[in-house]
Amino acid sequence: MIKCVKCGEVEGIMKAGYVRGKQRFLCKPCNYYFTIQENDVSAAVQRKRKRHQTTIIDIAKTLGVSNSTVSRALHGHTDISPDTRQAVLDTAALLDYQPNQLAYNLVKSRTNTIGMIVPEFHNPFFPNVIIGAHDVLTKAGYNLTIMQCNESYQVEISNTKAMLANRVDGLLISLTQETNNFDHLNVFEKRGIPLILFNRVCEQIDVPKVVVNDFESAFMAVEHLILNGYERIAHLGGPLTLLVSQERLRGYRAAMEKHGKSIENHMVIQGMLTQQKARIYGQYLLDLAERPNAIFAVNDSAAIEIMLIAKEKGIGIPDELGVVGFSDNPESAYIGPGLTTIRQPTLEMGQTTAEWILQLVDVEELSFSGRKVLNTELIVRGSSMRKGI
Amino acid sequence: MIKCVKCGEVEGIMKAGYVRGKQRFLCKPCNYYFTIQENDVSAAVQRKRKRHQTTIIDIAKTLGVSNSTVSRALHGHTDISPDTRQAVLDTAALLDYQPNQLAYNLVKSRTNTIGMIVPEFHNPFFPNVIIGAHDVLTKAGYNLTIMQCNESYQVEISNTKAMLANRVDGLLISLTQETNNFDHLNVFEKRGIPLILFNRVCEQIDVPKVVVNDFESAFMAVEHLILNGYERIAHLGGPLTLLVSQERLRGYRAAMEKHGKSIENHMVIQGMLTQQKARIYGQYLLDLAERPNAIFAVNDSAAIEIMLIAKEKGIGIPDELGVVGFSDNPESAYIGPGLTTIRQPTLEMGQTTAEWILQLVDVEELSFSGRKVLNTELIVRGSSMRKGI
DNA sequence: TTGTACGCGTTATCAA
DNA sequence: TTGATAACGCGTACAA
C-alpha cells in the first residue's frame, strides 16, 4: 500500500527510522529514502480500519465494575451476584460485544481448533473425509479448519507453517504426491502438537495413522479379475512416492503370483495420473501388440479414462477388456456397463481420525501411536463381469 | 476433565472461589462444593502441556539484546546492523523459533485470513469453488479457512460466530437451505468486516454477490427441451427459500410461457431434494395418469434419480422422457444416454469471489456492492435428444 | 542503531 | 463478591 515516490514500486518498501516525527521509508529496489506527504499519510491512516471493537473493558467502564468481574460474568462462573451478572450480560448485548477469540487463545495458548490438510480437492474422497471429521469435531465443541495443497509439497509446507503459527490444537494431514521429506511434520512432535496421518501416510514418522487396507483391497480386486477369467492383467498405478500406490502394487503382484499369472514389466505403469497421463498410459496399454485383457487402475478417474479409450477403439467391455478401479467415485456407478471398484469408508476415516485427535488433545496421551486399518468393499459392476464363464 | 467428587458429573462444573489457596469448584447438577485432592491436582497440572515455546524474548536474552531489536531483525526492517540481524536470524533458527501468529494478529488486529463458509460438501460444486478461491488467495499471501454447515442454519450461525471470533479479514459465504434470517450476517457490516455472498445469496442484505444467471440458464434448459419436441414439461425444483430455486423456477415458467405451453400445477414440485425426496417426487411424476414427457430438475442428483426411476419403469430416455439437470456433476457425462445439463463456472466463481474480497480487504472500499453474474453453458447430451425430429 | 515501555483483549491469581 | 495486576507474545512510537 506504500508506494515509492520515485519508482512507484510497492513491493520492497521498508520502514527506515523517523525524520521530524514522520515515518521514513526505504525503497529497496531503487534504494531511495523518502517520507510520505501529508495527503498520502492521511489516506494511509484512514485505510487503517480503526473501528473500535467493544471489549470487556468497555462493558466494565459503562457499568463501573472491573474487567475481571465482567470476564467472570461472561463465563458463567459462580461467585458473582446475579444482579451484576445480569447487568453485564445486558450491557454486553447492548454494546454488541463479541469476544475476541484471538486474545482468549493467546492467554490460554489453546485454540479449540483442529487443523486438517488435504492434498487435493478434485476427487470427492477428501471432501467426504472432511464431512466425517467435521461431524465428530463440532459435536465435541471443536472447530475444523481445512487447507488444501493442490498436490504441491511447497504449499504443504506453507500450510503446516500456517497451522503452526495459528496454534491449532491438533493436526490431521494427508500427504502430497510430492512429499518425501518430513521435517515439517517433525516440528509438531517437538512442539507437542498432536498429529495424525490419514490415507496418504508415510512410515518415516511415528504418529497415529488411519488408512485403508490397500494391499488387501488391491489383492481382492485383481483376484476378482482372475476369477472372472482374465489372464493378462495390467496395472495402472499411482506414483510410488505414495505408500498407497506401493501397497496397491504389492496387492496386484501378490494376487497375480498366487494364481500363477506372469507379470510383464511393460504392463505395470506407475505415475502421477492426471487425466492426460491416464490417457497416454491407457492408450499405450491398449495399443500393445499383445494387449492386456484386463486393467486394474489405482483410481476410478484413471479406470474411467481407460473405459473411454476402449470405447473409442471399439474394444468391448467387459468381454474384451476387464476394468477395475479404486474409490467408487459417483460416476463409476453410471459409466458404461458400470465400473467395478473398491469402495473406501471415507466418512469412517474422517470420524476415527477426528476421534483419535480428540483423545490426543484431551488426554495428553502422546505416547499412543496406533494404526487403524479400515476395510474396503469390492463393488462389482459390469466392467469386470465377462459373459459366458 | 474436572469431575464432581460426589456425582461424578463432568459437565456442569464451575469454578467457585478459592479455599486455602486451592481452587474450589461447584458441581451445578448436584449443587455440591468441593476442592480437588492433591493427586488430582498434580494430574490436572500435568495435563497442562506446559511446553515452553521459544519467543522473541528468548532470542533477545540469549543474544543480550532487546526484544524490539529481535522483532526488527525478524521483519527485515532496515535500521539494524547486518551483524546483529544475522545473529538474531541464526539464534532464531537455533532455538527453532516459530512466530506466534496469535500474538501477531492480536497486536495487528488483522489475521491475513479469509474465511469461507459453504452449506454442504456432498456435491462437487463447492469444493471446486474452493479450489478457485484458494488459488487466488494464496497467490495474494492470504490463508483460506473453510467451514461447512451441513445445510444447517444453526451450524451456519455458529460458524459465522467462529469466523468473527477468529477475526478473519473477510468472509465469503454461501447460504444454507434453511437460512431465512440474516442477523448473523449484518454483524459483519457493523464490524467493518468485508462480506461477499456467492451462489446461494439473498437480497435482504446489501453486499457484493457473485452468482450465475440462474434465470437464463433455466430458460435455456427448458427452451432446449421444447425445441426438441417435448410438450408436457415438469419441473422438479429446490426449496423456494433459496434464490437459485426461485430463479430457476422463473426461468422454467418464462420458457414455457414464451412457447405457449401450459403449466400444470401438479407438475411443478419444489422442495429440499435429498435423494429420498427426489425419488418420491420423481415416482409421483412418472406415475401420473398423464405423465410429463420431460422433466427439468434443479440439480443433477435429482435428474439422475429420475433417470434411474425411468429405467426401472421401462420408460425410454430420451424418446418417452426428456431430462435436463443442473450443474454438470461428473457422473452426468456417463449415466444412461448422458444427462443434458447446465455447466456452472465453479472455478471462475471462486476466483472472482476471492478477487473481490481482496479488493475490499485491501482497498477499504466498503461502499462497493456490485453483483457479478457468471454465465453458464448448456451441455447437450443424450437425455434430451429425442430421435426422429 | 538500539532499548524502554506501552498496547492489543483476555484470563487467572491473589488480596481485599 | 469484587478489584488490581500480572501474564500471554508481539509490534512499535519514542527516547537514548
Side-chain angles (χ1 to χ4, degrees), chain A residues 52-72 74 88 91-92 95 97-100 103:
Chain A
H52 178 69
Q53 307 296 348
T54 66
T55 71
I56 57 170
I57 296 188
D58 295 321
I59 302 179
K61 274 181 187 159
T62 33
L63 245 61
V65 298
S66 80
N67 44 356
S68 28
T69 304
V70 175
S71 174
R72 275 191 286 256
L74 253 28
V88 167
T91 48
L95 298 182
Y97 167 77
Q98 292 282 347
N100 186 330

Side-chain angles (χ1 to χ4, degrees), chain A residues 1-158:
Chain A
M1 309 356 120
I2 306 292
K3 249 191 202 167
C4 172
V5 298
K6 192 171 168 196
C7 69
E9 188 58 66
V10 68
E11 270 303 313
I13 307 295
M14 36 185 52
K15 303 193 176 179
Y18 291 83
V19 45
R20 284 190 300 280
K22 293 188 345 193
Q23 180 70 56
R24 191 175 64 141
F25 294 93
L26 163 62
C27 173
K28 207 103 188 236
C30 67
N31 198 30
Y32 180 71
Y33 284 87
F34 62 95
T35 58
I36 290 192
Q37 301 306 317
E38 274 311 314
N39 286 354
D40 304 341
V41 168
S42 72
V45 167
Q46 207 184 19
R47 244 203 76 258
K48 211 169 180 178
R49 184 184 291 116
K50 214 37 190 177
R51 216 172 279 257
H52 178 69
Q53 307 296 348
T54 66
T55 71
I56 57 170
I57 296 188
D58 295 321
I59 302 179
K61 274 181 187 159
T62 33
L63 245 61
V65 298
S66 80
N67 44 356
S68 28
T69 304
V70 175
S71 174
R72 275 191 286 256
L74 253 28
H75 284 61
H77 285 203
T78 166
D79 278 7
I80 187 167
S81 78
D83 292 350
T84 45
R85 165 205 221 121
Q86 195 53 51
V88 167
L89 260 43
D90 289 348
T91 48
L94 195 70
L95 298 182
D96 189 31
Y97 167 77
Q98 292 282 347
N100 186 330
Q101 194 73 21
L102 258 43
Y104 176 89
N105 294 341
L106 181 61
V107 62
K108 290 288 222 179
S109 71
R110 176 175 226 290
T111 56
N112 252 293
T113 298
I114 299 296
M116 176 154 168
I117 300 182
V118 299
E120 53 98 0
F121 251 179
H122 286 100
N123 290 297
F125 181 83
F126 289 108
N128 280 324
V129 175
I130 291 173
I131 293 174
H134 176 263
D135 190 39
V136 171
L137 291 175
T138 48
K139 269 174 192 152
Y142 277 79
N143 285 119
L144 173 63
T145 107
I146 302 148
M147 299 193 175
Q148 67 106 3
C149 302
N150 248 328
E151 296 287 7
S152 153
Y153 171 57
Q154 287 308 325
V155 176
E156 182 176 298
I157 288 186
S158 99

